[in-house]
Amino acid sequence: MNVPPQAGTADPAHAQHAASRAGTRVVKGACPHDCPDTCALRITVEDGKVIKVQGQPEHPSTHGALCTKVSRYPERTYHAERVLHPLKRVSAKHEAPRFERIGWDQALAEIAGRLRAIAARDPQAILPYSYAGTMGMLQGEAMAGRFFNRLGASCLDRTICASAGGAALAATYGRKVGMHLPHFAEAKLILIWGSNSIASNLHFWTFANQAKREGAKLICIDPRKTETADKCHQHIALLPGTDGALALGLMHELIAHDWLDADYIARHVEGWEELRAKALAWTPERTAAECGITADEVRGLARDYGDRATSGPAAIRLNYGMQRVRGGGNAVRLIALLPCLTGAWRHRAGGLLLSSSGWFAPFKNPALERPELRAGGPGRLINMSTIGDDLLREASPAFGPRIEALIVYNSNPVAVAPESPKVVAGFQREDLLTVVLEHFMTDTADLADYVLPATTQLEHLDIHTSYGHTDVLVNEPAVAPLGEARSNTRIFRDLAAAMGFDDPAFHDDDEALLRQAMREDVDLAQLRERGWFPLPLPEAPFAEGGFPTANGKADARGADHVPNYESRSSAPALAARYPLAMISPPARNHLNSTFVNVKSLRDIEGEQVLEMSAADAATRGLSDGQLVRVFNDRGSYACRLDVSARAREGVVHGLGIWWRKLGADGRNVNEVTHQRLTDMGNAPCFYDCLVEVAAA
C-alpha cells in the first residue's frame, strides 16, 4: 500500500527553505506536540536528511533537553510505514481495510465533488474534526479554518483535553494565565497537583528539582504514585474526582488557623464570604472521608501551604488530568483560589500555573481564520467529545442535519475519543464520507474513504505559542516533504481551489500566514533570527491583583465541589457492580496516540497494561503479568495486569492511549469511558469511570 520514502515536490510556499542540499546545516524548530513545554529544537540536516533533533541550549525553558519521544522524531518522519501518497478505500468499512494509491488531482476532484453535493443540501452536514496533533497556528487551523468558514460547515467544539480547566481559569482569573515557569525554581513549597511532570512536563520538573536542591519541599497530589511522586517529599493519593473537596478542606484549615492574607482577599477577591461559608463545612474529617485520605494529611498539607510566615513563597503546578471528571471545572476554580487566599501571588515564585496560553491572546491575530468568510452567522457547534453519539444521530430540528462528511486532521478520534464502541460504529457508516490527513494508517485512517499524506514538523513552516511558558517559537522546514506529502495549509488551499473558492484568503502562502499570525508586538525578524520571542510580561503578574477579569479581581462566586458521576459515594448501586475507579493517564513514552507506532518507544512500553494494587488483585485471584479483561456496561478490553505499588486500593490505571489495533484484542481503554460532560467547558470525563477486572 505504501512505498519507501522518496523525494517529492515541496510546497512552493517553503521549498526554498526545505530544498535538499549538500553538507551539514542546523535549522531552528519547535516541538509541535500537545505538551506544555513547547521546546525549541535544533535540527541537524546532513545531505538533505535530518540526522538529529536536539533541544536548543539557549532557549530559557528548553535548555538543551528533550523528552525521549521527541528526541526520536527523525525515526517518526522516516518511518517505513509513513503514508506518502493519497489513498482511496476499496474495501467495505466493516472489512479489513484495503486502499489503492491514487493521484492528488483525482483525490481532490473526487473529495470536492462529494463535498459540493452535500453542501448543496446543507453545508452543516460537513464537520471538521481536529485537535492538537500539531499545536502550530499555521498547520493547525489557519487555512483549515478559512476553508470550513467559506464552506459553511458545522463548527467543532474542541473540548477533548483541557476545556474544563480552561473555562475554570476564565471564570476565576479572566483568562488562562498564571505564574512564569522559571520562577518555580525560587519557591520554597511546590504542590504538584494532578501532574506526572517527569513524564509530561519535563522542563517544569527541571525548575522544581532546582528548588528542591535549594531546600524547597515538594508534595505530589495524585491518585497514582507516579514517577514524579517517587521524587517528591510526600505523596497524597486522593481518590479520582475529589480534588475540589481537598481544596475546600485546605481552605477550612486556612480559615481556622488564620493563615490568610486578609488584605489581599479584601482588595483582590470577589465572593469571599460565600466561599468562606462553604469551606467552613469541610472539616478535615469530612474532607478525608470524601478524598480517601487521612485527616492528618489534610491538616499537614494545609499547614505546609498556609503557614508561610518564615518559609517563603508557595507555588502550585496544576495539570489537566484532575479536570477530566464531572466536577473538574469547579475543582480547578477552587485550587486556583488558594494562592489568592494566602497572598501567594505577591511573590513571583508564588501562585499557580495550569496554562499560560491566555497570555498570548492579546498578541494573536483573531482574524487569522477569516471568520468573515462564513455567511449567515455562526455554524452549529458539535462537541468533539460526543462524536460517538453524534455520528449515530439522525437529522432533527434540535440536532440539525445528519453528519454526512467528516474531515479529520491532527487527531485520531477512533482511538482517543470516549466510548469508542459508538465512535467505531459511527465511522463504519458506509454513507459517511471520511477524509483523513495523516502520517500513518492510524485506527481512524483505517476507517477513512480517502487518506491524504501530510507533512511532519520537519517538513513545513509553522509558528507556535505555548501553554507552559510565554515564548513564541518558529519552526522552519528542515527538509523537503517526503514522497507526495503536503502540508495541511497546502491541502486546504488545494481543496479550496477544487471547490472553486477563489477568495483572496486562499492565495496566502505559508510565509504570508506567518506574517499574519501575530500582532506587530511580536518581532518576526527577531523570532526567526533566534528561534523564539519572549512576551513582554510582568514577573509577578498579580502581586497587586489586576487579574484579567471585568473588575480586576479573582472571582470565587459559585465555586463548589461537584462529585463524580461514577464513584462509591455518588453512585453506590453502580459501584456495587463495578467497584474500581479507573483513570487512564498516558504511558510515559506515548503522547496521546502519537508515537505509539515508533518501534523504539513501543519496545520500551511493551504492551497495554493495567496497574492494580496487590490487595485488589488478591481479592480477584489475579496475578502479575496475567491477561485480564477490564469491563463495565459500555464495553471491555483486554490488557496485561501490572500488580503495582503505583496503584492505591480501589483505583486502577489503564495506561494509554494505545492504538486499538495494537491492543491485545483490538481495543483500548476508551472502550469503557463514557461521553458525559464536565460541569464547565463541556469536556469529557475520562477519569470519572467505574470498572471491574477479571481474568481474560
Side-chain angles (χ1 to χ4, degrees):
M1 180 175 64
N2 301 330
V3 298
Q6 56 184 283
T9 303
D11 187 333
H14 60 256
Q16 61 186 25
H17 296 288
S20 300
R21 48 184 114 152
T24 300
R25 58 196 176 94
V26 174
V27 180
K28 300 176 182 69
C31 176
H33 293 296
D34 187 3
C35 167
D37 292 32
T38 316
C39 294
L41 304 181
R42 187 176 189 273
I43 303 163
T44 303
V45 182
E46 187 174 282
D47 297 333
K49 183 174 181 178
V50 174
I51 61 168
K52 189 183 299 182
V53 174
Q54 301 166 288
Q56 277 283 6
E58 300 84 8
H59 184 235
S61 62
T62 304
H63 42 70
L66 293 181
C67 68
T68 305
K69 300 179 283 288
V70 176
S71 64
R72 316 238 178 145
Y73 205 90
E75 184 179 345
R76 191 172 187 276
T77 294
Y78 296 109
H79 199 294
E81 296 173 2
R82 176 98 181 265
V83 175
L84 294 173
H85 309 280
L87 302 172
K88 180 179 180 179
R89 185 177 206 89
V90 294
S91 61
K93 291 183 181 177
H94 285 81
E95 299 174 351
R98 288 181 290 112
F99 292 82
E100 65 179 11
R101 176 177 168 179
I102 61 173
W104 269 106
D105 289 346
Q106 179 185 347
L108 292 167
E110 292 183 4
I111 293 167
R114 293 187 64 178
L115 291 178
R116 276 195 298 269
I118 296 169
R121 296 189 293 275
D122 192 330
Q124 294 198 92
I126 302 167
L127 177 69
Y129 195 103
S130 67
Y131 198 64
T134 175
M135 299 290 284
M137 294 179 67
L138 273 54
Q139 308 305 333
E141 303 303 328
M143 191 57 67
R146 297 179 185 195
F147 177 80
F148 291 111
N149 280 329
R150 174 64 175 80
L151 185 59
S154 288
C155 298
L156 186 71
D157 196 4
R158 293 178 171 86
T159 63
I160 203 161
C161 178
S163 64
L169 287 186
T172 309
Y173 292 162
R175 285 204 308 265
K176 291 186 280 187
V177 291
M179 60 184 291
H180 300 307
L181 180 67
H183 299 159
F184 278 92
E186 302 167 15
K188 295 305 177 185
L189 174 74
I190 303 177
L191 305 186
I192 302 176
W193 202 319
S195 178
N196 185 9
S197 305
I198 289 176
S200 61
N201 193 187
L202 178 65
H203 295 85
F204 157 75
W205 178 251
T206 302
F207 293 111
N209 207 32
Q210 181 180 337
K212 181 183 177 183
R213 289 195 301 269
E214 295 177 9
K217 184 174 184 178
L218 273 55
I219 301 175
C220 180
I221 304 169
D222 198 302
R224 181 174 182 253
K225 192 175 188 297
T226 62
E227 294 89 344
T228 304
D230 292 341
K231 302 294 186 181
C232 290
H233 296 96
Q234 183 183 4
H235 173 221
I236 297 177
L238 77 176
L239 291 170
T242 63
D243 305 82
L246 180 56
L248 284 166
L250 298 183
M251 291 179 189
H252 178 283
E253 293 298 280
L254 298 180
I255 296 166
H257 295 278
D258 196 25
W259 291 324
L260 300 170
D261 187 328
D263 175 68
Y264 196 93
I265 293 170
R267 293 196 294 131
H268 306 308
V269 178
E270 181 86 7
W272 164 238
E273 289 303 322
E274 175 192 330
L275 179 63
R276 183 179 186 277
K278 292 172 183 173
L280 286 174
W282 284 88
T283 64
E285 289 73 22
R286 180 188 177 190
T287 303
E290 180 72 5
C291 298
I293 57 179
T294 68
D296 283 345
E297 285 178 299
V298 178
R299 294 188 185 96
L301 180 61
R303 184 180 305 108
D304 283 330
Y305 185 73
D307 190 7
R308 312 303 307 160
T310 58
S311 49
I316 301 173
R317 182 60 172 107
L318 191 61
N319 216 334
Y320 282 110
M322 50 73 58
Q323 48 96 71
R324 295 185 181 125
V325 294
R326 179 190 180 192
N330 267 279
V332 169
R333 290 201 69 198
L334 291 165
I335 297 166
L337 287 162
L338 288 170
C340 299
L341 305 189
T342 62
W345 282 118
R346 294 188 187 277
H347 311 276
R348 74 175 196 172
L352 173 139
L353 177 62
L354 170 60
S355 173
S356 60
S357 63
W359 289 120
F360 295 92
F363 298 89
K364 287 183 175 182
N365 175 8
L368 183 62
E369 298 173 29
R370 296 292 187 266
E372 73 277 4
L373 292 171
R374 181 176 291 273
R380 73 163 171 183
L381 191 64
I382 300 290
N383 192 323
M384 69 186 307
S385 299
T386 59
I387 192 64
D389 281 340
D390 291 337
L391 285 177
L392 300 175
R393 293 187 201 278
E394 298 296 335
S396 70
F399 180 64
R402 193 178 197 206
I403 298 172
E404 296 184 51
L406 197 63
I407 301 181
V408 181
Y409 53 105
N410 301 333
S411 189
N412 182 12
V414 174
V416 305
E419 202 168 351
S420 53
K422 290 184 176 180
V423 180
V424 172
F427 271 83
Q428 286 179 330
R429 283 174 41 201
E430 293 293 348
D431 64 334
L432 176 72
L433 169 64
T434 304
V435 179
V436 176
L437 285 59
E438 253 302 349
H439 305 139
F440 300 102
M441 294 305 295
T442 62
D443 293 326
T444 305
D446 280 347
L447 290 172
D449 295 284
Y450 296 89
V451 181
L452 304 180
T455 48
T456 69
Q457 189 75 344
L458 303 183
E459 301 161 291
H460 56 229
L461 179 68
D462 218 330
I463 185 170
H464 290 256
T465 58
S466 175
Y467 63 94
H469 59 68
T470 53
D471 295 337
V472 181
L473 276 68
V474 69
N475 183 80
E476 306 284 2
V479 293
L482 302 187
E484 294 183 281
R486 295 183 181 181
S487 65
N488 287 354
T489 47
R490 182 179 177 187
I491 291 172
F492 283 108
R493 276 193 292 265
D494 293 344
L495 271 175
M499 294 288 292
F501 299 161
D502 60 359
D503 310 71
F506 296 110
H507 299 297
D508 289 337
D509 62 17
D510 286 8
E511 289 286 342
L513 293 175
L514 183 73
R515 292 192 296 272
Q516 296 167 21
M518 309 298 290
R519 295 185 185 274
E520 60 186 17
D521 311 72
V522 175
D523 187 329
L524 286 182
Q526 182 179 336
L527 172 66
R528 299 191 84 166
E529 173 66 26
R530 190 164 61 173
W532 68 89
F533 180 87
L535 298 183
L537 299 170
E539 290 197 336
F542 308 124
E544 296 299 329
F547 295 93
T549 55
N551 62 6
K553 295 183 178 183
D555 193 344
R557 293 172 296 178
D560 204 353
H561 172 56
V562 177
N564 278 6
Y565 289 111
E566 300 188 0
S567 71
R568 289 184 179 182
S569 60
S570 62
L574 184 67
R577 291 187 292 134
Y578 303 115
L580 296 169
M582 189 190 75
I583 62 174
S584 45
R588 183 168 181 174
N589 292 285
H590 297 173
L591 201 160
N592 301 322
S593 74
T594 307
F595 296 104
V596 177
N597 67 322
V598 174
K599 186 178 184 302
S600 64
L601 296 172
R602 196 164 77 242
D603 287 347
I604 298 171
E605 288 299 329
E607 60 185 318
Q608 194 168 208
V609 300
L610 182 83
E611 293 176 342
M612 175 185 278
S613 72
D616 286 330
T619 299
R620 291 160 179 78
L622 302 174
S623 57
D624 186 56
Q626 182 176 358
L627 193 67
V628 296
R629 185 171 67 96
V630 184
F631 62 97
N632 57 23
D633 290 339
R634 292 178 288 272
S636 70
Y637 75 104
C639 61
R640 195 69 58 185
L641 182 65
D642 180 8
V643 178
S644 172
R646 297 205 179 280
R648 59 161 289 165
E649 190 170 355
V651 181
V652 293
H653 316 138
L655 302 185
I657 300 173
W658 285 78
W659 290 6
R660 289 167 53 84
K661 60 185 174 182
L662 296 177
D665 59 353
R667 301 171 186 168
N668 72 10
V669 68
N670 279 320
E671 289 287 314
V672 297
T673 55
H674 58 75
Q675 295 179 77
R676 285 174 288 187
L677 302 176
T678 55
D679 55 346
M680 302 176 67
N682 296 317
C685 299
F686 289 112
Y687 295 4
D688 184 342
C689 180
L690 289 176
V691 300
E692 183 55 287
V693 180

